Amino acid sequence: MRTVDVLVVGAGLAGLRTARLLAERELEVLVVDRRRSLSTGIRTTGIFVRRTLDDFELPDHLLGPGIRDVLLYPPSRRAPIRLTSDRDEYRVADMAAVYEHAHRAAESAGAQVLLGVRYVGASMGLVRFSGAEPVRARFIVGADGARSHVARDLGLDVNRRFLVGAEIVHPVASGTTTPVFHCVLDPRVAPGYLGWVIDDGRHAHVGVAGYPGAMRTGIRHLLDAFAADAPGRAVPTGPVERRGGPIPVGGVLRRLACPAGLLVGDAAGAVSPLTAGGLDPCLRMSELAAALAARYLRTGDQRILRQYDGKALRIRFRGRLLLRRVFAGIRSPAAAEAAVTVLRGRAGRALAARVLFGDGSFPDVGSRLADPAIDRPCQ
């Protein structure tokens, strides 16, 4: 039976990046994903924020034009608040191409990626699949999404608080609009979150997200109703794609690692509780996860895994978790109109700009990576 150093379950951005970083440290890495193509089953809008673009090297040709303007609408859609940055704050990626780029990078580093292979379960280092022979893995990385099966098998924490989101994506006539991010606060279509339209002049993303228990008519119906008159919606010039899935918003989980493995990405709850953005957290936590896992596998010292501590990361989320509870409590159009009215004032605009344009959406793990002991070779 084949034995690998690390098995990564899930070939999303978090899984592929972690696999690449581990393979670069000369570990034998196997990645499995149940999808037969990484261009299917996409569950993210693909919005990269400025902080991510500043700190990570992303292929520029896979990113759309920069977006500096955000329009925040009340349920009535009248008199939106315009917030404008003097820098490009958002760029929307071609996520199918981003996944393929990450796939090639992982394989170039030495990782093996098997698609069309479904993780069935793991016990005592033996991992079973549907679509491939079992393997023995010294360590398992759970990058298998918000409802992680790996987390349950390893006895780690699991996500319990979710939004559910859905969107349609289609090309638009090039150069006909200035890139704008439209956000609609309307609990009738997005209870506890937002409806959005992102038009970067190449593609339009039209979506809604909210608490599933409050979506009485179902998210697909709500999305179609919102898209029918969504502000800033451009006419499709090509095929319309649908995306959707659960979004964990309970903050980073507390228990993320054990001697048998650890969690990254949505499986770790690495999503901003307020904005529901997960691409920046997945890149940052993947770096820390790979560094600590490699050190642990070289030394066998379980104390190293204590540095992958969700409790410490959650401290930075206290304000965002409080705002998430406030956001969740806006359940009527009148309350939403009142909330937007508050945001029209100087203090409200400053708060909105800090949330939308600020650098504090996810804790920085750089200080931990700066510890020379993490990547020091064994003596």
Side-chain angles (χ1 to χ4, degrees):
M1 185 180 297
R2 181 182 178 185
T3 297
V4 297
D5 292 317
V6 183
L7 170 70
V8 179
V9 181
L13 195 58
L16 290 170
R17 182 171 180 81
T18 305
R20 192 200 87 192
L21 295 171
L22 287 166
E24 288 175 348
R25 290 169 167 84
E26 299 183 352
L27 293 167
E28 184 178 355
V29 181
L30 173 65
V31 184
V32 298
D33 194 290
R34 63 183 180 180
R35 294 175 294 169
R36 296 187 179 278
S37 169
L38 297 184
S39 64
T40 62
I42 296 174
R43 294 188 171 185
T44 175
T45 297
I47 304 172
F48 285 93
V49 298
R50 174 176 48 79
R51 185 179 180 217
T52 317
L53 299 170
D54 288 346
D55 292 351
F56 296 94
E57 293 184 4
L58 299 168
D60 190 73
H61 67 285
L62 302 182
L63 300 169
I67 300 172
R68 299 188 177 195
D69 290 304
V70 175
L71 290 176
L72 181 60
Y73 297 78
S76 65
R77 313 290 203 269
R78 293 193 295 268
I81 300 170
R82 179 180 288 271
L83 299 171
T84 301
S85 174
D86 58 1
R87 300 174 289 184
D88 291 343
E89 294 289 347
Y90 305 100
R91 295 181 71 181
V92 185
D94 177 349
M95 287 308 298
V98 167
Y99 288 144
E100 187 53 42
H101 179 272
H103 181 183
R104 292 194 301 269
E107 291 191 325
S108 295
Q112 182 182 7
V113 180
L114 297 181
L115 302 181
V117 174
R118 183 172 64 85
Y119 169 86
V120 173
S123 178
M124 305 295 290
L126 177 65
V127 187
R128 294 169 288 111
F129 307 109
S130 174
E133 294 297 317
V135 301
R136 291 197 177 276
R138 296 175 59 201
F139 201 73
I140 302 175
V141 173
D144 53 334
R147 295 190 172 97
S148 171
H149 291 173
V150 172
R152 297 181 186 279
D153 289 346
L154 296 183
L156 299 174
D157 286 352
V158 296
N159 294 296
R160 300 191 184 281
R161 295 179 61 192
F162 297 94
L163 301 176
V164 61
E167 72 170 7
I168 55 177
V169 184
H170 58 75
V172 297
S174 179
T176 58
T177 60
T178 300
V180 177
F181 190 172
H182 303 266
C183 298
V184 180
L185 182 59
D186 187 346
R188 294 170 298 186
V189 296
Y193 194 62
L194 298 168
W196 66 88
V197 177
I198 305 173
D199 184 345
D200 64 5
R202 295 182 184 176
H203 290 84
H205 294 249
V206 183
V208 297
Y211 289 102
M215 293 180 167
R216 294 188 177 89
T217 59
I219 191 166
R220 186 182 181 105
H221 174 81
L222 292 175
L223 173 59
D224 290 342
F226 175 69
D229 65 350
R233 169 93 189 267
V235 177
T237 61
V240 175
E241 173 192 353
R242 286 185 178 266
R243 300 177 181 177
I247 308 167
V249 289
V252 178
L253 300 174
R254 290 176 173 82
R255 189 160 184 260
L256 297 174
C258 67
L262 55 73
L263 307 175
V264 294
D266 283 8
V271 175
S272 171
L274 181 59
T275 65
L279 294 176
D280 182 81
C282 91
L283 292 175
R284 294 185 192 279
M285 286 194 70
S286 294
E287 291 207 339
L288 181 61
L292 293 173
R295 179 66 179 166
Y296 165 65
L297 289 170
R298 287 197 300 263
T299 65
D301 186 351
Q302 295 182 15
R303 293 174 297 178
I304 292 169
L305 297 176
R306 295 176 189 170
Q307 297 180 63
Y308 198 66
D309 180 14
K311 293 179 182 177
L313 291 171
R314 285 181 67 86
I315 293 173
R316 289 283 301 278
F317 277 110
R318 286 180 297 187
R320 304 266 165 166
L321 286 166
L322 176 60
L323 288 173
R324 161 53 42 203
R325 288 193 287 271
V326 172
F327 211 167
I330 301 174
R331 293 299 180 93
S332 71
E337 291 280 354
V340 175
T341 298
V342 170
L343 295 176
R344 295 186 190 280
R346 177 179 297 180
R349 292 177 68 90
L351 174 62
R354 183 176 179 181
V355 170
L356 293 167
F357 301 151
D359 291 335
S361 63
F362 192 79
D364 193 354
V365 300
S367 60
R368 301 187 188 193
L369 287 170
D371 182 352
I374 289 179
D375 267 331
R376 186 173 61 224
C378 295
Q379 302 296 325

